[in-house]
Amino acid sequence: MDDPADRAERAKRGSPYLNTAQTAHFLGVSVYHLVKLRRSGKGPKFRRHSRFVQYHIDDIQAWSNAQARARKP
């Protein structure tokens, strides 16, 4: 039988969700900038679990890819 704390730790290590600070670091922007993007509806999709905001890594990557601009020749 697994200890609940052990199960929680394993789930945390394998979670595809990042918090705001982790997401900002991943994108190379400040937390303040990411919060501004979220409030204006221009940032990556997020989920609110109670008072916690979480971003799925696939949503972050999709948003980042959509921000790419083609180079001018």
Side-chain angles (χ1 to χ4, degrees):
M1 191 181 274
D2 283 342
D3 177 27
D6 289 337
R7 275 198 318 259
E9 188 58 37
R10 280 197 313 274
K12 186 177 179 182
R13 281 194 308 265
S15 177
Y17 291 96
L18 302 178
N19 64 29
T20 301
Q22 292 167 327
T23 301
H25 179 76
F26 180 82
L27 292 172
V29 300
S30 70
V31 171
Y32 176 75
H33 183 68
L34 183 58
V35 170
K36 280 178 42 177
L37 287 172
R38 183 174 68 227
R39 289 182 179 161
S40 68
K42 296 178 182 177
K45 287 187 203 176
F46 67 94
R47 292 152 175 85
R48 188 175 297 277
H49 299 274
S50 184
R51 64 185 176 115
F52 302 102
V53 172
Q54 295 184 324
Y55 297 84
H56 193 280
I57 193 74
D58 292 340
D59 294 334
I60 299 166
Q61 196 66 52
W63 178 83
S64 179
N65 291 341
Q67 303 308 304
R69 293 191 173 100
R71 282 188 169 189
K72 291 183 181 180

